[in-house]
Amino acid sequence: MGRMTQPDLDIRSVTIDDAGELLTLRRAAFVTEAQQYGDPHIPPLTQTLEELQEDLQREGVITLGGWYGHRLVGSIRMLIEGPKATLGRFAVAPDLQGQGFGTQLLMAILPHLPEGIEEVWVFTGRDSVHNLALYAKHGYEHQHDQTAGDLTYAYLRKILGDGDGSQVDA
């Protein structure tokens, strides 16, 4: 089956002006996850618009969005703590999942990280097979699981080598 070439997303930082659209995207994306875990109260679904707006302005938080035309179709949040970045709230619009948008977002992270980041961590639901496979493909290695309430999260880590992300293999 010939796949159409995936159009490039316009990936940039999400601003306060985009908060409403981001909230809608995350809720749509995480509903499927909540159903999978049988828990409608996972944090991405209970966050209010005000809380999201605050989070977007927080020191050390970078939230990237991917726009396809005028529509925000994906986003990922990065928390910067010293030499460590932690990824979370990875969301792609349900009707567009499996088309490579998530991969584009994941690859856009490295150029957006501040100088001096040595390792990137990511956590996702232990049963989010699709996410786990995507992270593994991009060099994230499973480190440990952590249970929070009824949910178990898998934590994966990628160590950034010299010039990782900035050099293109010839």
Side-chain angles (χ1 to χ4, degrees):
M1 198 170 101
R3 248 177 87 177
M4 283 171 49
T5 319
Q6 180 57 51
D8 280 341
L9 289 182
D10 174 19
I11 297 175
R12 60 181 189 267
S13 289
V14 175
T15 67
I16 287 292
D17 296 342
D18 308 312
E21 206 178 349
L22 177 58
L23 192 69
T24 304
L25 166 72
R26 276 192 188 157
R27 285 196 172 149
F30 279 100
V31 157
T32 49
E33 192 130 326
Q35 287 167 341
Q36 196 175 346
Y37 296 116
D39 181 4
H41 305 294
I42 59 173
L45 293 180
T46 56
Q47 188 177 43
T48 65
L49 181 61
E50 290 72 29
E51 287 168 343
L52 176 55
Q53 287 171 333
E54 276 172 32
D55 190 62
L56 288 172
Q57 296 177 90
R58 262 182 68 189
E59 192 68 41
V61 170
I62 303 169
T63 302
L64 290 184
W67 277 264
Y68 180 44
H70 291 292
R71 182 182 170 199
L72 177 63
V73 299
S75 84
I76 194 161
R77 176 185 186 273
M78 303 180 267
L79 175 64
I80 311 298
E81 300 165 296
K84 174 181 149 184
T86 303
L87 311 179
R89 302 286 163 98
F90 189 21
V92 173
D95 59 313
L96 294 171
Q97 286 174 10
Q99 297 188 38
F101 288 132
T103 298
Q104 285 187 45
L105 275 166
L106 206 49
M107 291 177 74
I109 286 158
L110 295 179
H112 280 90
L113 289 173
E115 288 288 308
I117 296 292
E118 293 162 16
E119 51 185 313
V120 182
W121 284 79
V122 62
F123 64 95
T124 189
R126 190 70 192 95
D127 303 324
S128 300
V129 179
H130 177 78
N131 285 359
L132 291 168
L134 179 63
Y135 294 135
K137 198 171 98 178
H138 287 274
Y140 292 83
E141 293 181 5
H142 181 257
Q143 302 296 317
H144 60 86
D145 292 342
Q146 190 174 321
T147 303
D150 296 334
L151 291 180
T152 300
Y153 292 100
Y155 282 76
L156 300 89
R157 178 181 64 177
K158 178 178 180 141
I159 305 282
L160 302 186
D162 294 329
D164 195 352
S166 57
Q167 78 193 55
V168 179
D169 293 330

